[in-house]
Amino acid sequence: MVQQEVLDRVFASLADPQRRRILVRLGEGPATIGELAEPVGMTLTGMKKHVQVLEAAGLIVTEKVGRSRQCRLGPAPLDDAMAWIGFYQRLWARKLDGLDAYFTLRNGTEGTSS
Amino acid sequence: MVQQEVLDRVFASLADPQRRRILVRLGEGPATIGELAEPVGMTLTGMKKHVQVLEAAGLIVTEKVGRSRQCRLGPAPLDDAMAWIGFYQRLWARKLDGLDAYFTLRNGTEGTSS
């Protein structure tokens, strides 16, 4: 159940281009909220909201440094999300294998000459 | 830009445990909205909404068959989402490599015996 909630938060976090950009930017190294906001022309308040969503999902961690808040990638990356998508893709591939087998069967011997 | 919107929709679709369950169920084969709703005790209206979200993201396709609507996995699975997460994970791994190099440097020769 907790695991499901983690996936909910992670996928919801990723459902926004600005938040995906923040993750890519932090992949280059830590940044303050101001440094994240400035290049994309966003207000500090707007950026703070995105940062809070990402932090609640465990994708980033933040720390007060002097008067600003430093952000960096969190300790738990997207392994769970990746594992889930991988599982789904295997299901999907299996479905294709099934279709392939079906058409091979239906087409008899005419199937696989190139 | 369009690519970003596809990712937005795919990730938003996945941010719900019920919708993830639908995908897993359809991995086993097509099902009507009624067949998806019944085992999880959901109303047809509630299930229809989830199905519409998944269909708008291209994750499933539906087709009217007689009086019911048949659902199956869509032609475009989660490749884009997987690619994006993979990219992020490589960024994250590179950051870890950087940390590793830093600690190796800092600890001098004492690091890698055992």
Side-chain angles (χ1 to χ4, degrees):
Chain A
M1 194 58 172
V2 171
Q3 172 63 13
Q4 292 289 347
E5 282 166 26
V6 170
L7 280 177
D8 290 0
R9 287 184 185 196
V10 166
F11 284 129
S13 292
L14 297 179
D16 183 284
Q18 208 57 258
R19 288 199 290 269
R20 293 195 297 273
R21 265 178 229 124
I22 295 170
L23 291 177
V24 172
R25 166 61 191 81
L26 294 180
E28 296 165 10
T32 63
I33 290 182
E35 285 163 350
L36 291 173
E38 197 271 328
V40 294
M42 194 179 273
T43 62
L44 287 180
T45 315
M47 184 52 75
K48 213 174 201 170
K49 280 181 194 160
H50 283 311
V51 161
Q52 281 167 347
V53 173
L54 288 165
E55 191 169 25
L59 292 174
I60 70 170
V61 289
T62 74
E63 189 187 7
K64 193 93 184 157
V65 177
R67 292 186 59 187
S68 52
R69 185 161 285 276
Q70 186 92 24
C71 311
R72 55 188 171 81
L73 293 184
L78 297 170
D79 287 349
D80 291 340
M82 192 80 163
W84 194 90
I85 290 181
F87 169 72
Y88 170 85
Q89 285 191 314
R90 283 192 299 279
L91 271 183
W92 199 85
R94 212 171 57 187
K95 184 194 127 199
L96 282 193
D97 287 348
L99 273 181
D100 203 39
Y102 169 76
F103 284 116
T104 304
L105 202 68
R106 208 177 76 158
N107 295 338
T109 52
E110 75 190 64
T112 49
S113 57
S114 59
Chain B
M1 194 55 170
V2 171
Q3 172 63 11
Q4 292 288 347
E5 282 166 27
V6 171
L7 280 177
D8 290 359
R9 287 184 185 198
V10 166
F11 284 129
S13 292
L14 296 179
D16 183 284
Q18 207 57 257
R19 288 198 291 268
R20 293 195 296 273
R21 265 178 228 124
I22 295 170
L23 291 177
V24 172
R25 165 62 190 82
L26 295 180
E28 295 165 11
T32 63
I33 290 181
E35 286 164 351
L36 291 172
E38 197 271 326
V40 296
M42 193 178 275
T43 62
L44 287 180
T45 315
M47 184 53 74
K48 214 174 201 171
K49 280 181 193 159
H50 284 311
V51 162
Q52 282 168 346
V53 173
L54 288 165
E55 192 169 24
L59 292 175
I60 71 170
V61 289
T62 74
E63 189 189 5
K64 193 95 182 154
V65 178
R67 292 186 60 188
S68 52
R69 185 162 286 279
Q70 186 91 24
C71 311
R72 55 188 171 79
L73 293 184
L78 297 169
D79 287 350
D80 291 340
M82 191 80 162
W84 194 89
I85 291 182
F87 170 71
Y88 170 85
Q89 284 191 315
R90 285 192 296 280
L91 271 182
W92 200 84
R94 212 172 56 189
K95 184 195 128 201
L96 282 193
D97 287 348
L99 272 181
D100 202 41
Y102 168 76
F103 283 116
T104 305
L105 202 70
R106 210 177 74 160
N107 295 337
T109 52
E110 74 190 65
T112 50
S113 61
S114 80

